[in-house]
Amino acid sequence: MTATPDPRKQFVRQVLNQAQTLGLSQPAEGEADAPVNIALCKYWGKRDPVLNLPVNSSLSISLPGFGTTTRLLWRPDSDVTGLQRLTLNGTPISPEDPVFQRLAAFLALFPAADQGRFDIDTHNQVPTAAGLASSASGFAALVKVMNQAFGWELSQEKCSLLARLGSGSASRSLYDGFAIWHQGLRADGLDSYATALPQVWPSLCVGLVEVDTSQKSIGSTAGMQQTVSDCDLYQAWPKQAQKALSTLQLALETQDFATLGKTAEHNALSMHATMIATWPPILYWQPQSVAAMQTVWQLRADGVGVYFTMDAGPNLKLLFEEQDRPAVEQAFGNLTILRPFARA
Ligand code: 2P0
């Protein structure tokens, strides 16, 4: 019986094309970083879980200064191959750890993993508040450092294709600012990558409301799979997301903050509605999450331009502009506030 080729390995080979044969006789090393991102139109559901192809396109804002920095050393003159050493924020990670195994499995998709050993040091500068996902910045930084160390000279779009295989949302972390991950139509996944949007929004603030940052009971990969297979309401989701995406793009073009905020909040609540309506239900919210939503709604009733978005967890990310910062800070007290375009 012949083994079926791993479609992910084939995908990597297609993306690397000529580049894979270069630079594999000499040691390679480098360092790269990538930001975390927050989706304003969410990725929720895979049409192909092996190639990480999404049901819908998504749109995000990156948070420069918060993300992952990764150093890579690759050596061909070794008895062993694949990932050999991984440190996270200076601490060695055991090969039995799921983090090590996920990274090793990703690296194993690349020809270099059969031809030498990888040693990787990775540092996360992700705020502890609000449990921002580090897998997005982690896989984006890893692909960037491989591109650089192996001299592949891949475009950002091609790096985005590769990062997507590690974690869907990583496809958007190749860029600062706003990005769209295009769902793509092809079965081979070669048209499902993110591109940057040109708009900047200097007054935009993102506030992190920390409700609970402990490990969640169901991860987003499993949560979205269950929703796709078991939720009758899910069929409404792709349509909602498509509409939200168009509206957000228009809001960015016209710098219409109220439309941006409203659309992002509505999209996040629609995503959560599909999770709640699956069985067994997936409800990431805690009483304090709902209390924070009500505070946002009260602020809006009082004329403050603040909106929220939420991911697969109980924490809120607030969206507001600089002029409303004092009112938001007063209502929420101890709030971590990030400025995505502070350096723009
Ligand atoms: C997003 N999330 O668009 C959505 C909203 C969570 C809720 O992307 O299975 O870690 O590795 O592709 O990218 C989190 O999912 O999932 C996510 P995989 P990922 O940000």
Side-chain angles (χ1 to χ4, degrees), residues 37-44 46 49 52 58-60 102 133 135-136 139 164-170 172 181 216 220-222 224 271-272 275 310-313:
N37 72 77
I38 292 173
L40 304 181
C41 175
K42 307 293 185 187
Y43 150 51
W44 196 249
K46 301 177 199 238
N52 258 353
S58 52
L59 188 152
S60 62
R102 188 171 176 193
S135 69
F139 282 106
R164 187 200 81 214
L165 277 192
S167 195
S169 51
R172 303 184 305 237
W181 173 16
K216 44 200 181 202
S220 45
T221 308
M224 68 175 91
M271 175 185 75
H272 281 272
M275 301 180 203
M310 292 180 79
D311 294 301

Side-chain angles (χ1 to χ4, degrees), residues 121-191:
D121 295 314
T122 185
H123 285 264
N124 282 341
Q125 310 96 33
V126 177
T128 49
L132 287 174
S134 56
S135 69
S137 54
F139 282 106
L142 184 57
V143 168
K144 277 170 84 172
V145 74
M146 283 200 281
N147 188 36
Q148 180 192 312
F150 293 124
W152 290 335
E153 297 183 349
L154 298 177
S155 64
Q156 283 183 300
E157 282 87 357
K158 286 200 166 160
C159 288
S160 171
L161 283 172
L162 294 175
R164 187 200 81 214
L165 277 192
S167 195
S169 51
S171 64
R172 303 184 305 237
S173 272
L174 268 300
Y175 309 100
D176 289 343
F178 298 104
I180 293 188
W181 173 16
H182 309 274
Q183 64 188 76
L185 295 170
R186 295 169 58 140
D188 65 12
L190 286 167
D191 57 352

